[in-house]
Amino acid sequence: LPQNPVLNTIEPHHLPEDFHALADEHGLSYKAHREYLIGRGITQDMWRMYNLGAARSVPYRVIIPIEADYWQGRAIYKYVEPKYLNPKEPASDILFNSQALVTYDEVVICEGAFSAMAVGENAIALIGKQPTPEKLMRLVMAPVKSYIIALEPGAFDTMHQVADTLYGAGKDVTLWKYS
């Protein structure tokens, strides 16, 4: 993947103190974390681009820097609960890969960070099933001309809510319905 200078300016604020980037070959060995990402189709270039990491203080999880003071710890094993751990700060206006909102004319809206990574650099994630009014306002106010809404199967009502809001603000909107 080509390097995007906007993505490279993400500051990983308040990550766990023992955070280690998985792309750092000289860091601690997190073989299971790397295998999990490879199994999800997340490449080493993507590890670097999104500064994916791990921390012993947040065991059995890939640490995903989102933005500002927010990050997620995604469980790498099915038996680890809860699936996601987050910092204490609320995520009411947090979007994964929000730089895409000022970089691209067309942006794909996904639910989770891994879905957005799989789509590409022009994808963002709501980091949750329901968009908050703050998140919707960020989407409306962005200079993006066209949105493709690609939420998870079963989120059709939410897709319509987001589409209605964006269309009402003059954006071109496409719904991507999973088969």
Side-chain angles (χ1 to χ4, degrees):
L1 293 173
Q3 290 297 315
N4 181 331
V6 176
L7 289 177
N8 292 332
T9 64
I10 296 172
E11 292 292 329
H13 299 292
H14 296 91
L15 289 170
E17 288 189 24
D18 59 338
F19 173 88
H20 293 279
L22 291 174
D24 181 5
E25 297 298 328
H26 303 292
L28 297 174
S29 174
Y30 286 99
K31 182 179 178 185
H33 296 70
R34 290 181 173 111
E35 288 174 354
Y36 171 80
L37 291 171
I38 290 167
R40 299 273 320 241
I42 308 298
T43 66
Q44 289 184 11
D45 286 340
M46 295 163 92
W47 303 353
R48 282 183 201 81
M49 181 182 301
Y50 298 109
N51 195 33
L52 301 180
R56 295 209 189 280
S57 62
V58 188
Y60 310 114
R61 295 174 192 286
V62 171
I63 305 298
I64 307 164
I66 306 296
E67 71 175 346
D69 293 334
Y70 199 79
W71 53 270
Q72 283 189 324
R74 171 57 162 93
I76 62 172
Y77 299 115
K78 291 181 183 197
Y79 60 84
V80 175
E81 292 291 334
K83 186 189 284 189
Y84 292 98
L85 286 180
N86 308 305
K88 302 295 184 209
E89 294 90 2
S92 61
D93 66 342
I94 300 298
L95 298 169
F96 174 77
N97 195 31
S98 63
Q99 298 82 4
L101 295 174
V102 296
T103 306
Y104 299 99
D105 289 334
E106 181 175 75
V107 170
V108 179
I109 301 171
C110 300
E111 185 177 313
F114 285 143
S115 295
M117 287 179 215
V119 169
E121 290 182 40
N122 71 323
I124 63 163
L126 296 174
I127 307 302
K129 295 187 185 297
Q130 292 293 325
T132 63
E134 296 90 349
K135 290 179 185 184
L136 288 173
M137 183 56 67
R138 288 184 72 185
L139 299 176
V140 165
M141 299 304 293
V144 175
K145 295 176 183 173
S146 175
Y147 286 100
I148 298 171
I149 304 171
L151 301 182
E152 303 298 324
F156 203 64
D157 289 341
T158 302
M159 290 172 70
H160 276 283
Q161 173 194 358
V162 174
D164 289 347
T165 300
L166 295 173
Y167 185 76
K171 307 290 185 176
D172 290 330
V173 179
T174 303
L175 296 181
W176 180 349
K177 186 175 179 186
Y178 291 89
S179 58

